[in-house]
Amino acid sequence: MCWGPQPLKSGSKSKEIKHRVNGLPAILGGRFTSRDNGTVAEKEQTMATTEATLPKLSNGLNGHIEEIAAVELTGAEIVCKALEAEGVDIVFGYPGGAVIPLYDALPRAGFHHVLTRFEQWAALAADGYARATGKVGVCMATSGPGATNLVTGLANAQLDSVPVVAITGQVVQPLIGKDAFQECDITGITLPVTKHNYLVTRIQDIAPTIKEAFYLAKSGRPGPVLVDIPKSLFVSRMIYKPGKLRDRRGYQPTTSPNMRQVKLAAEAMNKAEKPIFMAGHGILLSGAEESFAALVEKTGIPVAFTLLGQGSYPESQPLALGLMGMHGHREVNKALDEADLLVNIGARFDDRATGKVSGFAPNAKIVHVDIDPAEIGKNVETKVPVVGDAKEVLDLLVDLVDERRHDEWISWIESQRNFVLEAALEDRPETPEPYTIIKAIAEATRGKAIYATDVGQHQMWAAQHLGLDHPNNWLTSGGLGTMGYGLPAAVGAKIGCPDKEVWAICGDGGFQMSLNELATCVQEGIDVKIAVLNNGYLGMVRQWQDLFHGKNYSEVKINGPDFVKLAEAYGVTGIRVETDAELLPAIQRARETPGTVVVEFIIEPEANVWPIVPQGASNSEMLHQYEDK
Amino acid sequence: MKRQHTLIVMVEDHPGVLNRVVSLLRRRSFNIDSITVGHSEQTGVSRMTIVVRGTDADIEQAGKQLYKLMEVLKVVDLTDQPVIAHEMMIVKVAAKAQQRQEVLLIAQMFNARVLDASPNTIMIEATGPVEQIESLLQMLRAFGIRELARTGAIAMSKGSGIITSKGLTGADQYAGSAAAD
Ligand SMILES: Cc1ncc(C[n+]2csc(CCOP(=O)(O)OP(=O)(O)O)c2C)c(N)n1
Ligand SMILES: [Mg+2]
């Protein structure tokens, strides 16, 4: 299993208790026996035995489940119990016809349901919850439009390897295939955007299928798994038996690497003169940050981060170079160009990271560590492939590598930094430069908050300037680039980690996609601080039109509401920042104000993200705001 | 270099497996020439023969992607092994009395069987290596093909080596017969 156990966030514990009765799973106390066919006397007896056996059962959920195993439950209740058995404490969802029986059972379930304002936000909140907590995120929706609204969220989790389980209702079995009201072939539709999916056809398959879905979602290379359940099964009954993992011969993820390959990788690292690490999301998914830090520090090899690899090693450390690729720092892309060895840990050589493949790290021998064998050689030819879980591989490597320093190489990389940027800041405009906003948020929160971004220019400014030092506090849609991600991901993170400060960093375009989640924040009583960088444009698209389409600004000017009034209409606080002087006080006020706060930052409408590698160009062909030195 | 590869894919016999396999190959733009599915010697396991075109690297990638499907138990590329790859075809050829003799002669050359005849047509069934089926078809085109049904290839490696859902086993015993081929 690559999804390493994560320490329980201090906050989630209190949350858990909140949804249990007297600190015990709500499923106890005969709550599920209410529909029992037996007599009242029998029912009371069941309750009595359950209560009586409490003391010796109180340290494990399994005990409880066995205790009431002999009771007949509905399919809907079985879904709840199967979710409880996986330790689920939160689900994000939206009800509808096919899941009404499931929702009928929810009030008695031992987890809390968060009603989002759109199913896509439920899927993305589950994604944000998973990234922030390290647990599997769960979302649910009704058949037809409810299910199709999940698709973008599932695709998002698929491309970023995030463990999410989606439960959808399906029309009653006799109507499947008849184009029934709200029927939709959701397993067909989600085939390419899930790790696996199921249409459950028998009530006895519900529990084992949910068990397997969780196992698949979090093991190996994590990903989303969808379980589609017909309404007719929710209302059927059977004696509940906890699901057991079935043997799946066709699913045997390789976690332990081939030792010969590990040795070859170590040898390459020992021999290299200009080595560089490419740190990917796999390090975080594997919980391998400490192992990676040990390897980096022993080998003295500097680290370039992919967008999702940020946080896998503290950016404030001298060996951390920063973001690579399309909006990577100048010196990082220069270093890739010059390197004689590139060691990729858990990244898939996405084109936003590599630029034109033939121009990627042209002088480097490539070592690629990945848990998914299909990633090896898919995009970039690899000299030394190592298939395995990042943590296992790194722990083996650290004993085989020489202790080294690469001072000369690193000072060369440093010399490639773009100093012009700092110098040019003397005569900047009235409105705060976008990146000063990011830096101010990072400083005020000391880098310790969870930062969820939307997609666009603000996302890249955040990636470049937050200075991410901690694992799992950087939530961003990397693979799919899903606008609207920021706020729902922040909601998911806040609900999963109630004791953490959570910031969403959004553009005015993306925020207008998912701002209805403000209502969810209020209903859940949670504090999310939302920074909206308002440039009045779909900025990233405008930037491409500016640079690559002769400034033909086609359909990128976007107006919006008065965000302060909008916030107030939702019952949260709104703050507008128009000048540099207001920047820090506004961030402070947002942090001190209880509840959700929207801070709108008016920024220069045509500010661009620099540097930028034009699509299809090599990383070495990046464009700069000011003359390259 | 792009060329034809013959893959044997052993899969769990679940509803929708064919859809998963085909959808995956389509999505990653692999070109399927033919695909056949049927039961294997093991209950619960189906055997697919997929003829797909691509470079060796493409096909390796296709194999690895197929392995990501839960139902896929084994993928074996038979391309560079001594194999029998046979296809069956049923074809209805236009043949009036004057042409009948000639068509029959061609059928005979290819060991094809006549299944049915009418005043204007002859129905022929042929089984054999894919290239042979192609040649036969080529010859028959001159008369006019009225209707054509082909199964696509099914393949099996020669010698005592066997492909099961656990992979190719006992292949070493095959040494030598390749020369005799
Ligand atoms: C759902 C979706 N639609 C369209 C896009 C294409 N897209 C990428 S960035 C962007 C502009 C985002 O504008 P805004 O949210 O204002 O952020 P900015 O770039 O201005 O910071 C668009 C339209 C996308 N990534 N996702
Ligand atoms: Mg904008």
Side-chain angles (χ1 to χ4, degrees):
Chain A
M1 208 175 88
C2 123
W3 187 257
Q6 304 270 334
L8 198 68
K9 301 273 164 21
S10 52
S12 51
K13 210 166 202 165
S14 59
K15 194 85 192 176
E16 231 165 58
I17 289 166
K18 200 170 117 191
H19 306 294
R20 304 256 195 276
V21 182
N22 304 327
L24 291 162
I27 202 113
L28 280 178
R31 285 172 162 241
F32 267 114
T33 61
S34 57
R35 289 164 171 226
D36 188 356
N37 292 331
T39 63
V40 176
E42 271 167 3
K43 254 187 245 169
E44 274 167 4
Q45 173 122 51
T46 321
M47 288 165 74
T49 14
T50 315
E51 306 283 5
T53 46
L54 281 186
K56 62 177 185 225
L57 292 170
S58 58
N59 47 4
L61 193 60
N62 287 344
H64 300 315
I65 286 163
E66 269 158 34
E67 191 54 38
I68 52 167
V71 178
E72 224 183 39
L73 300 182
T74 64
E77 289 165 340
I78 290 172
V79 170
C80 296
K81 289 187 60 71
L83 292 175
E84 284 172 11
E86 296 305 316
V88 170
D89 52 5
I90 301 289
V91 305
F92 302 89
Y94 209 100
V99 288
I100 287 177
L102 176 60
Y103 275 71
D104 199 36
L106 284 191
R108 301 186 303 280
F111 50 81
H112 174 63
H113 178 275
V114 176
L115 179 70
T116 58
R117 292 301 179 273
F118 180 42
E119 290 88 350
Q120 187 184 133
W121 312 146
L124 292 176
D127 171 310
Y129 170 95
R131 294 192 210 214
T133 62
K135 298 193 274 187
V136 178
V138 184
C139 55
M140 44 177 72
T142 190
S143 68
T148 54
N149 277 346
L150 292 179
V151 172
T152 302
L154 295 175
N156 190 74
Q158 170 80 346
L159 277 177
D160 285 352
S161 308
V162 180
V164 167
V165 167
I167 310 275
T168 48
Q170 182 55 274
V171 299
V172 296
Q173 280 161 302
L175 289 186
I176 292 181
K178 305 288 196 295
D179 302 320
F181 176 64
Q182 294 192 331
E183 181 187 359
C184 193
D185 172 19
I186 198 62
T187 44
I189 288 172
T190 56
L191 209 68
V193 297
T194 51
K195 184 168 170 182
H196 192 56
N197 63 23
Y198 305 84
L199 170 62
V200 182
T201 54
R202 304 183 309 172
I203 185 171
Q204 63 267 41
D205 292 340
I206 292 178
T209 302
I210 288 178
K211 176 135 210 99
E212 188 170 282
F214 274 79
Y215 171 64
L216 293 184
K218 67 190 174 193
S219 61
R221 179 180 183 171
V225 179
L226 177 134
V227 183
D228 194 27
I229 307 176
K231 184 175 185 177
S232 40
L233 293 189
F234 289 136
V235 296
S236 310
R237 289 164 180 279
M238 69 173 272
I239 299 213
Y240 170 70
K241 276 205 277 319
K244 286 212 181 77
L245 264 193
R246 297 173 281 203
D247 176 39
R248 286 306 290 256
R249 266 185 53 212
Y251 181 71
Q252 309 283 342
T254 310
T255 54
S256 302
N258 179 328
M259 227 20 232
R260 218 185 112 238
Q261 295 304 106
V262 176
K263 280 186 190 139
L264 286 176
E267 255 166 49
M269 287 157 79
N270 291 339
K271 272 199 231 132
E273 287 309 318
K274 296 174 183 172
I276 189 164
F277 277 119
M278 172 173 178
H281 196 197
I283 298 172
L284 295 161
L285 290 169
S286 157
E289 310 86 54
E290 283 173 19
S291 310
F292 184 51
L295 186 68
V296 170
E297 274 140 35
K298 187 167 177 196
T299 56
I301 298 178
V303 186
F305 299 94
T306 67
L307 184 63
L308 292 189
Q310 297 194 107
S312 60
Y313 180 72
E315 214 178 315
S316 56
Q317 290 296 309
L319 285 171
L321 299 177
L323 185 68
M324 64 182 280
M326 184 172 274
H327 293 292
H329 302 283
R330 181 177 192 271
E331 69 277 17
V332 186
N333 283 344
K334 290 281 179 193
L336 290 169
D337 228 34
E338 194 68 15
D340 64 359
L341 174 73
L342 179 130
V343 184
N344 171 346
I345 320 271
R348 66 176 140 92
F349 288 116
D350 177 81
D351 51 275
R352 285 294 196 265
T354 62
K356 185 168 75 187
V357 167
S358 58
F360 177 66
N363 303 306
K365 182 172 174 172
I366 308 274
V367 174
H368 189 183
V369 178
D370 207 297
I371 196 159
D372 181 354
E375 288 306 339
I376 309 283
K378 186 183 80 181
N379 296 342
V380 168
E381 218 178 297
T382 300
K383 195 79 179 196
V384 184
V386 186
V387 177
D389 171 49
K391 183 161 175 18
E392 282 196 38
V393 175
L394 294 170
D395 287 344
L396 291 169
L397 272 175
V398 78
D399 291 332
L400 298 174
V401 293
D402 298 338
E403 209 166 324
R404 287 183 71 183
R405 290 174 67 91
H406 293 281
D407 295 339
E408 213 176 301
W409 166 227
I410 287 161
S411 58
W412 179 86
I413 297 173
E414 279 302 312
S415 75
Q416 297 301 303
R417 196 180 284 279
N418 191 347
F419 294 102
V420 198
L421 180 65
E422 264 105 294
L425 292 177
E426 303 293 293
D427 51 8
R428 58 181 206 233
E430 263 272 284
T431 52
E433 283 270 343
Y435 82 94
T436 61
I437 300 169
I438 304 294
K439 281 191 187 261
I441 293 172
E443 260 160 50
T445 53
R446 295 215 178 79
K448 292 206 170 112
I450 291 175
Y451 310 94
T453 77
D454 220 275
V455 170
Q457 293 185 306
H458 61 280
Q459 175 191 30
M460 292 302 131
W461 285 315
Q464 291 175 333
H465 300 292
L466 272 174
L468 294 153
D469 270 355
H470 303 284
N472 307 327
N473 70 345
W474 165 243
L475 318 183
T476 201
S477 168
L480 195 66
T482 312
M483 273 177 79
Y485 179 78
L487 184 51
V491 167
K494 183 68 191 182
I495 285 173
C497 309
D499 293 346
K500 282 224 165 186
E501 182 173 345
V502 176
W503 279 78
I505 299 173
C506 303
D508 50 327
F511 182 57
Q512 286 188 69
M513 284 195 178
S514 49
L515 57 77
N516 47 4
E517 279 309 278
L518 287 173
T520 306
C521 294
V522 173
Q523 190 161 348
E524 288 296 320
I526 56 171
D527 287 30
V528 176
K529 311 303 175 193
I530 304 157
V532 181
L533 275 61
N534 187 355
N535 50 14
Y537 276 115
L538 298 174
M540 187 56 93
V541 177
R542 186 209 51 75
Q543 172 167 353
W544 282 46
Q545 292 174 341
D546 173 6
L547 299 178
F548 313 124
H549 295 271
K551 261 194 191 312
N552 179 18
Y553 287 175
S554 169
E555 297 303 322
V556 288
K557 186 98 197 88
I558 182 169
N559 70 345
D562 177 326
F563 287 109
V564 173
K565 281 197 186 141
L566 176 100
E568 283 160 6
Y570 273 101
V572 303
T573 309
I575 305 172
R576 181 174 296 118
V577 176
E578 291 177 80
T579 64
D580 260 349
E582 297 163 341
L583 178 59
L584 293 176
I587 291 173
Q588 213 39 48
R589 201 185 128 208
R591 298 187 69 218
E592 284 160 6
T593 308
T596 289
V597 181
V598 179
V599 195
E600 177 194 18
F601 298 93
I602 306 296
I603 59 168
E604 168 68 31
E606 297 190 41
N608 283 342
V609 181
W610 303 103
I612 175 170
V613 177
Q615 188 166 32
S618 305
N619 280 349
S620 58
E621 300 170 88
M622 64 197 130
L623 306 176
H624 295 273
Q625 183 172 19
Y626 304 101
E627 273 298 282
D628 203 357
K629 48 177 209 153
Chain B
M1 184 201 56
K2 284 196 190 229
R3 57 176 179 148
Q4 252 189 0
H5 286 249
T6 304
L7 302 182
I8 301 295
V9 184
M10 307 298 285
V11 297
E12 284 175 10
D13 183 11
H14 291 173
V17 176
L18 179 62
N19 184 17
R20 286 182 197 274
V21 168
V22 173
S23 158
L24 183 149
L25 294 171
R26 173 198 56 79
R27 173 164 85 85
R28 298 202 180 259
S29 12
F30 294 109
N31 270 322
I32 302 177
D33 282 350
S34 76
I35 185 163
T36 67
V37 205
H39 296 299
S40 72
E41 76 290 345
Q42 253 179 299
T43 43
V45 176
S46 299
R47 178 175 176 128
M48 297 185 179
T49 309
I50 304 177
V51 180
V52 55
R53 201 173 280 279
T55 65
D56 289 359
D58 289 342
I59 304 304
E60 190 186 332
Q61 176 61 204
K64 286 173 169 176
Q65 292 295 345
L66 284 169
Y67 272 125
K68 290 174 73 166
L69 299 177
M70 304 302 149
E71 292 90 350
V72 170
L73 303 173
K74 207 71 212 178
V75 182
V76 180
D77 186 351
L78 286 182
T79 308
D80 291 324
Q81 307 208 24
V83 289
I84 303 286
H86 273 197
E87 181 176 6
M88 182 173 144
M89 161 180 90
I90 302 179
V91 59
K92 204 176 274 180
V93 187
K96 291 215 165 68
Q98 313 89 280
Q99 291 97 27
R100 210 167 281 146
Q101 229 11 63
E102 214 177 325
V103 170
L104 287 177
L105 203 66
I106 293 169
Q108 217 172 29
M109 276 164 55
F110 285 87
N111 263 333
R113 285 202 306 145
V114 173
L115 299 180
D116 187 33
S118 75
N120 298 322
T121 59
I122 299 184
M123 196 201 306
I124 294 172
E125 174 204 303
T127 308
V130 180
E131 316 81 70
Q132 207 171 309
I133 301 286
E134 289 289 348
S135 314
L136 170 56
L137 204 52
Q138 192 60 32
M139 300 287 287
L140 295 176
R141 274 190 211 286
F143 304 90
I145 305 288
R146 284 295 158 80
E147 203 178 334
L148 173 67
R150 297 175 63 167
T151 59
I154 52 172
M156 200 171 273
S157 63
K158 290 167 80 173
S160 55
I162 50 172
I163 295 170
T164 66
S165 59
K166 296 200 167 61
L168 182 61
T169 55
D172 44 339
Q173 296 162 23
Y174 187 71
S177 359
D181 191 43

